[in-house]
Amino acid sequence: MNGSWLQRQAQLHPERPAFYWQDKSWSFAALQKEVTAYACYYEARIPQSIERVAIFSNNSPEMYFSILALWELGKQVQLLNTRLTEKELHYQLADAQCSWVISNQGLALSRIHVLPFGKLKGSLTVAASVYQKNQVASIMYTSGTTGNPKGVPQTFGNHCASAQATQINLAVTASDCWCCVVPLYHISGLSILLRSLVLGISVRLYDRFDPPQIAADLAAGKATIVSFVTKMLTDLLPLTKDTGYPALRYILLGGGPIAKSVLKQCQDKQLAVIQSYGMTETCSQVVALPPEKAEEKIGSAGLPLAQVNLRIQPQSEETGSVTKNAETLGEIQLQGPAIVSHYLNNRGGDQWTSDGWFATGDLGFLDAEGYLYVVSRLSELIISGGENIYPAEVEQALVSHPAIDEAAVVGEPSGKWGQEPVAYLTLHAPLTVQEVTAYLDSQLARYKQPRRYYQVNEMPRTASGKIVKRILLTEERVNYIEQQIK
């Protein structure tokens, strides 16, 4: 696709609804006019030589318009999680070599130009190259097993392929309105914005998830599709009538499999839930479970979407060969046009195999009909309330404390959040939870910090000396715990 996707929608469907915020609405023509004013403002203030600009904001119309405006100017947009500490923000900006941030949140970052949201009447100089297939559209940071966050450069080609696969999977039409209560700085939120540009659908944006407000708007028929994490769905269910929401076609659910009891409540209330599997590197969902298969395939993430190839790479001899239901258990590997080809600064190159597959670090198997089951995460990723938490990053911060020798962080099941991070520590000096929290507050966002701490005599280890974290998730862990740290 050549040219600006927004300009194309505005030319083809000028009066079609594009964007809703509270009691306001914009057609595609009105949206283009608004975005042009924002683009003129940024063009006048940001040097043309700057190719990458960050945005630090929670969901708002100004954030929405600014993302689109920067794309009209041919600039890459780095999305910053607003829950990060100043230290985490500095690391991500320095790693991405990004010196400009747009924000209305009163940021004071050294050596960084912070620009407030704004707009300006004028004519726009059209960028020479916009929305090209191999052009980087967005950059989001995701951590890894080394504990160092890695930048994920997502191209317009990746996003376009993701939107088209979603269109096929959900039979999306121009009359659909996608409710966005998830953050635009997450791929779950940004992908909704991009579906609007690619597919010509409308988006109803919210600054946060307010269950009574969402229930009222869904009951009023203000959205046909919505993206949730499990916590949002469980909060909405008590407010949902037995007849459900007549206009709501699908609830796209991310962040892990749904409990059978919750699924039963959804079915009783005529809610069509589509469980999905995806990540920042895959530009949203790449595997999804049809709602009619939800009960039959409890625990399954579903089938690969259009143009997505999936294979299971059997485990190495070091981790041992395992079978489940006579199916081979191994690492989930993916290939397809929605999947990014690398990380920034050539980090994590070993996550792409020599024959071009992306190694997810997740453990799973395929049943006889080709449905994917995600069993656990080799990368040890913890998903808590829809936020990704990487144990290695938390462990690295913990062991930098002078009283802590070793740290092992695992995700324990939580009825409220899906999972919660819990830390097991070996100490050489007494320590309280308050002291650990005070120490971590300057290094890690609160959502990444462990909910509970246990002092252990020693860590369970393999013969080669590696910590065996699975033991810390079983009853065997009591053999190692000396005390819970208060």
Side-chain angles (χ1 to χ4, degrees):
M1 296 182 187
N2 293 320
S4 161
W5 295 350
L6 174 59
Q7 289 173 26
R8 187 191 63 184
Q9 292 294 351
Q11 290 164 6
L12 295 176
H13 315 291
E15 301 307 315
R16 184 183 291 176
F19 177 53
Y20 296 94
W21 170 266
Q22 297 173 356
D23 58 351
K24 299 176 183 177
S25 64
W26 291 259
S27 66
F28 274 106
L31 178 61
Q32 184 194 9
K33 184 177 179 181
E34 193 77 27
V35 166
T36 298
Y38 274 77
C40 287
Y41 169 82
Y42 296 130
E43 184 182 43
R45 284 159 177 78
I46 301 172
Q48 191 174 355
S49 60
I50 299 298
E51 67 171 11
R52 186 173 296 161
V53 178
I55 295 182
F56 181 88
S57 175
N58 293 317
N59 289 2
S60 67
E62 293 80 11
M63 181 185 190
Y64 200 96
F65 301 145
S66 295
I67 293 170
L68 295 175
L70 292 171
W71 285 342
E72 292 293 305
L73 295 172
K75 299 193 184 298
Q76 302 173 14
V77 180
Q78 181 179 357
L79 283 306
L80 298 169
N81 189 323
T82 57
R83 299 170 73 179
L84 297 180
T85 66
E86 186 176 328
K87 180 180 179 181
E88 291 167 315
L89 289 172
H90 268 298
Y91 173 83
Q92 292 188 12
L93 289 167
D95 187 69
Q97 298 177 329
C98 183
S99 58
W100 284 79
V101 178
I102 298 172
S103 177
N104 269 3
Q105 298 200 21
L107 280 181
L109 297 170
S110 58
R111 301 182 300 280
I112 299 293
H113 302 276
V114 180
L115 186 65
F117 292 121
K119 57 182 180 177
L120 184 70
K121 287 185 179 180
S123 58
L124 184 65
T125 304
V126 180
S129 176
V130 294
Y131 289 84
Q132 298 299 302
K133 182 179 179 181
N134 295 320
Q135 185 179 357
V136 172
S138 49
I139 294 168
M140 297 178 180
Y141 269 72
T142 181
S143 302
T145 53
T146 62
N148 296 317
K150 298 189 292 290
V152 181
Q154 302 151 334
T155 67
F156 285 106
N158 296 146
H159 287 306
C160 184
S162 175
Q164 291 173 337
T166 298
Q167 180 181 33
I168 295 168
N169 184 50
L170 302 184
V172 177
T173 69
S175 61
D176 277 308
C177 177
W178 206 302
C179 169
C180 180
V181 294
V182 287
L184 290 173
Y185 56 70
H186 278 180
I187 188 58
S188 55
L190 188 70
S191 61
I192 297 172
L193 182 157
L194 281 143
R195 288 170 197 142
S196 174
L197 296 181
V198 176
L199 308 178
I201 66 173
S202 60
V203 174
R204 185 174 293 278
L205 186 68
Y206 295 82
D207 60 343
R208 61 193 173 89
F209 177 66
D210 178 4
Q213 179 69 56
I214 299 301
D217 284 358
L218 292 179
K222 292 186 177 181
T224 59
I225 308 174
V226 62
S227 292
F228 281 159
V229 295
T230 304
K231 173 69 166 58
M232 294 175 178
L233 180 58
T234 55
D235 284 351
L236 185 72
L237 277 171
L239 306 174
T240 304
K241 295 180 179 178
D242 291 345
T243 51
Y245 306 104
L248 185 64
R249 298 203 299 121
Y250 294 119
I251 295 173
L252 187 65
L253 192 69
I258 186 173
K260 191 171 184 177
S261 58
V262 177
L263 181 62
K264 180 68 167 61
Q265 291 180 62
C266 293
Q267 291 171 336
D268 290 343
K269 296 191 175 188
Q270 302 178 44
L271 300 177
V273 176
I274 295 184
Q275 299 164 71
S276 66
Y277 169 77
M279 57 201 72
T280 307
E281 292 92 336
T282 65
C283 294
S284 192
Q285 56 164 347
V286 281
V287 176
L289 182 66
E292 64 272 14
K293 290 283 189 178
E295 194 167 8
E296 178 190 343
K297 302 287 186 180
I298 288 285
S300 172
L303 297 170
L305 301 190
Q307 294 188 288
V308 176
N309 297 315
L310 186 155
R311 73 183 183 188
I312 301 296
Q313 186 66 31
Q315 293 177 280
S316 67
E317 291 182 9
E318 181 182 354
T319 54
S321 61
V322 184
T323 60
K324 185 175 179 65
N325 299 342
E327 304 292 343
T328 300
L329 189 65
E331 184 180 31
I332 301 164
Q333 298 189 349
L334 300 163
Q335 192 181 60
I339 298 157
V340 304
S341 61
H342 63 284
Y343 291 118
L344 277 187
N345 305 321
N346 298 314
R347 286 200 174 85
D350 55 353
Q351 281 198 248
W352 282 266
T353 66
S354 57
D355 55 348
W357 290 71
F358 173 65
T360 65
D362 292 344
L363 197 64
F365 68 94
L366 300 173
D367 70 8
E369 296 178 274
Y371 284 79
L372 174 67
Y373 289 76
V374 183
V375 175
S376 66
R377 305 211 172 238
L378 291 177
S379 63
E380 302 167 355
L381 174 66
I382 299 167
I383 303 179
S384 183
E387 293 279 12
N388 289 354
I389 302 169
Y390 291 81
E393 183 182 8
V394 183
E395 290 161 359
Q396 196 173 70
L398 284 168
V399 297
S400 67
H401 189 286
I404 299 173
D405 283 327
E406 286 186 303
V409 174
V410 297
E412 287 190 352
S414 163
K416 184 177 182 181
W417 303 109
Q419 288 180 299
E420 289 183 329
V422 176
Y424 293 83
L425 309 175
T426 59
L427 306 175
H428 60 259
L431 195 62
T432 66
V433 169
Q434 289 77 10
E435 289 171 329
V436 181
T437 301
Y439 181 76
L440 291 182
D441 274 345
S442 64
Q443 301 189 61
L444 294 174
R446 268 293 172 100
Y447 74 85
K448 297 180 184 179
Q449 296 182 25
R451 306 295 187 270
R452 288 178 297 285
Y453 295 90
Y454 297 97
Q455 182 177 355
V456 296
N457 297 308
E458 59 180 345
M459 296 289 186
R461 299 184 183 278
T462 64
S464 61
K466 292 182 180 178
I467 295 175
V468 186
K469 288 191 174 180
R470 61 178 172 77
I471 290 178
L472 300 176
L473 290 170
T474 68
E475 292 181 6
E476 289 181 71
R477 70 185 185 279
V478 298
N479 298 326
Y480 295 87
I481 294 174
E482 188 173 331
Q483 62 167 328
Q484 182 173 349
I485 300 172
K486 299 292 187 180

